[in-house]
Amino acid sequence: MSNPHTMNLKIWIRGLLPAGLAAVLLLPSGMLRSAPSGAAAGYRSVIDHGANGADDIDDTAAFQKAIDAASGEAGGVVFVPAGRYLISDTLVLAKSAVTLMGEGRATSAARTPTGSMLVLRPGKTNTAVLVRDCSYSGLKNLSIERETGAAAGPIPEKNRKDAIVRMEGTYHAFACELLLINAVCGVEIVNGISPLLEDVDIKSPRGDYGVWLRGSGKPADGGKFRKVDAALFYRLSGGADRESRVEWVVVGPNADGAEVNDARFVAGSRGLVLRGGDPAAGDIRPKYIYTHKFGCDHVADEGVLMEAGNDVFMTNTWIGQNKNASGIVVGPEFTGGLLMTNVRVRGAGGHGMHIQGGRNIYINNPLIGACGTNRDLVPPSSKEAAGILIEAGVTQLRVTGGGVGGMFEQGGRSRQHYGIRYQGTDKQAAKDSVRISGVDTDGNAVPFSPAGLSLDGK
């Protein structure tokens, strides 16, 4: 049976590219290394522009020459045949409809890879590819590895946000079918409309984030306000060392719409972070954020941290064994509009979910338990840990269905004492419309606090 993803790629190639070029790209893998006789003008191989592909000669100039040749025409495909290509400076795609396209993702272990790998030698830069100020350009179907070891040296604090792939001010730019290895950070997207990340795997990042989405806001000189709209992320994954500080997906200020669909991360600091910037400087909180099937295991801190934002929709979220914090935290600067359906949190070091602020918050069918596992956060004698902790001042909140505590075996390390705890009185809960209905809280020492929090039986 044909692979649907491959079929979609073939349809895309046939629909958007000239017939001759489409025929070239649809040849079986490995059949081409240089441009064939009579190939369409929009197709060029880096080999034909002097690239070596043997990991022993700097191919930066050859790659940029091929990219510039495509940029000087009506765009096209810059093909990277299987091999290991050493680069020492940033490759820049600054014209529309240019695709840097490999022959498949290679692993770092293979000295003679079956796929295409760019090997970035640190020194001048930590960014391998920059796509800027253009439309429908990007890269796909290859690996990028940053050299590490004694020669590369430690990463200075000022460089901990350097991305190996960066998009800036683009329209429908893309990075698809990528394997990023030992990068300082994975992908940074600044400003633009509808950037696309699809099938991106980030292995062992060394810096502060995996993917960072943000708008630059209002310039100091009073120029046009800049934001990023309608970002699309599909099938993201990554794994980090236990000591890593990486926050896997960071949606920053001036982000107006982002969809994260099918993402899974292991270790690092946090899974998903919404961060608000500086309102005094004109920054706006991230908004219209949608996630589906987002999960992280064994992150050190919060699985999901919403420092600020509004209008967030999350379905099928999984947070497992985050040891140093609550599983999901909705911060005091979160202004409101949150719908979470089918959220799963197990084994959080603190509370399963901690709601510190916001309004119009709806949590449907949660499954939360075995929390309070960190002895520093929750000493053995403590009775503070809750499956869901709601601070007084939160308004218009509903939790319906599911289970908190009773549907997970709590385990010997768990100190989860409350099922759902509201840090206010029954009267205040009624005034602020904080209500719980149909939630199984059996198995907790205190199912609800205060007792009138649940509407069941009333």
Side-chain angles (χ1 to χ4, degrees):
M1 180 178 293
S2 298
N3 185 319
H5 187 75
T6 303
M7 293 300 295
N8 289 338
L9 175 60
K10 291 179 178 179
I11 293 169
W12 179 84
I13 290 173
R14 289 193 177 107
L16 294 185
L17 301 180
L21 178 55
V24 168
L25 293 182
L26 292 172
L27 287 172
S29 177
M31 288 188 65
L32 289 176
R33 286 187 62 79
S34 61
S37 176
Y43 173 92
R44 52 190 33 82
S45 169
V46 295
I47 298 296
D48 293 336
H49 290 268
N52 176 269
D55 195 21
D56 57 359
I57 296 176
D58 190 338
D59 288 323
T60 307
F63 267 70
Q64 193 62 57
K65 185 178 179 181
I67 292 168
D68 292 345
S71 301
E73 298 174 355
V77 171
V78 177
F79 181 57
V80 184
R84 290 174 61 89
Y85 299 86
L86 178 64
I87 60 173
S88 59
D89 207 348
T90 302
L91 305 175
V92 180
L93 281 69
K95 296 294 184 180
S96 296
V98 176
T99 300
L100 186 65
M101 184 175 189
E103 199 173 356
R105 289 174 280 192
T107 64
S108 60
R111 299 306 302 175
T112 307
T114 57
S116 308
M117 175 173 283
L118 310 186
V119 180
L120 175 64
R121 179 158 292 170
K124 293 182 180 179
T125 183
N126 291 311
T127 300
V129 180
L130 168 63
V131 186
R132 71 180 183 200
D133 302 324
C134 58
S135 303
Y136 299 102
S137 291
L139 62 160
K140 67 183 303 177
N141 209 26
L142 51 79
S143 299
I144 307 176
E145 179 178 17
R146 178 183 177 273
E147 284 187 336
T148 57
I155 299 170
E157 193 68 27
K158 67 178 182 179
N159 296 122
R160 288 190 59 84
K161 289 182 169 54
D162 293 351
I164 204 163
V165 175
R166 179 180 167 91
M167 301 178 186
E168 182 175 350
T170 60
Y171 180 77
H172 286 278
F174 56 89
C176 305
E177 301 170 55
L178 301 183
L179 173 60
L180 309 178
I181 306 170
N182 296 326
V184 177
C185 299
V187 182
E188 181 183 10
I189 301 172
V190 185
N191 304 327
I193 298 174
S194 295
L196 170 66
L197 302 183
E198 184 174 10
D199 287 318
V200 177
D201 190 9
I202 305 171
K203 298 296 188 186
S204 302
R206 311 293 178 175
D208 289 347
Y209 63 88
V211 175
W212 187 15
L213 177 73
R214 63 188 176 92
S216 56
K218 188 174 182 179
D221 61 5
K224 183 180 178 181
F225 182 88
R226 304 198 70 185
K227 61 179 181 175
V228 59
D229 289 284
L232 301 172
F233 300 160
Y234 298 118
R235 293 183 297 280
L236 306 183
S237 59
D241 302 332
R242 289 189 177 274
E243 297 78 19
S244 172
R245 290 160 40 186
V246 65
E247 296 175 329
W248 285 108
V249 178
V250 181
V251 182
N254 312 311
D256 191 354
E259 178 180 344
V260 184
N261 198 326
D262 195 359
R264 183 68 178 270
F265 304 102
V266 178
S269 174
R270 296 182 174 98
L272 173 66
V273 179
L274 306 186
R275 193 156 280 150
D278 182 8
D283 287 336
I284 59 173
R285 298 176 174 89
K287 60 182 179 179
Y288 306 126
I289 311 302
Y290 170 74
T291 72
H292 176 63
K293 294 199 296 186
F294 185 99
C296 56
D297 289 283
H298 298 285
V299 295
D301 302 306
E302 298 88 348
V304 175
L305 174 61
M306 303 183 201
E307 292 181 357
N310 58 274
D311 297 313
V312 177
F313 310 89
M314 304 185 72
T315 62
N316 299 331
T317 305
W318 164 260
I319 310 297
Q321 311 294 330
N322 65 303
K323 60 184 179 180
N324 294 332
S326 298
I328 297 173
V329 173
V330 181
E333 297 301 316
F334 186 86
T335 52
L338 171 62
L339 173 62
M340 302 188 75
T341 300
N342 297 336
V343 56
R344 309 291 187 254
V345 181
R346 189 179 196 281
H351 310 293
M353 183 182 296
H354 188 179
I355 303 173
Q356 301 171 344
R359 64 183 185 276
N360 297 327
I361 296 173
Y362 301 89
I363 303 166
N364 300 324
N365 196 34
L367 186 57
I368 299 173
C371 298
T373 59
N374 188 311
R375 293 294 178 267
D376 293 327
L377 297 176
V378 187
S381 59
S382 173
K383 297 181 179 180
E384 293 298 316
I388 300 176
L389 179 67
I390 307 162
E391 295 194 12
V394 175
T395 61
Q396 298 293 329
L397 179 141
R398 295 287 187 276
V399 183
T400 58
V404 179
M407 298 180 73
F408 269 130
E409 291 211 8
Q410 299 282 38
R413 294 187 58 81
S414 172
R415 293 292 183 270
Q416 183 173 311
H417 185 74
Y418 296 93
I420 302 177
R421 183 185 183 190
Y422 172 67
Q423 293 183 313
T425 64
D426 282 331
K427 183 177 180 180
Q428 187 173 3
K431 176 179 177 293
D432 290 339
S433 192
V434 175
R435 283 293 182 254
I436 315 299
S437 177
V439 183
D440 181 358
T441 55
D442 290 343
N444 298 281
V446 179
F448 297 101
S449 177
L453 196 62
S454 174
L455 293 176
D456 297 338
K458 293 189 178 182

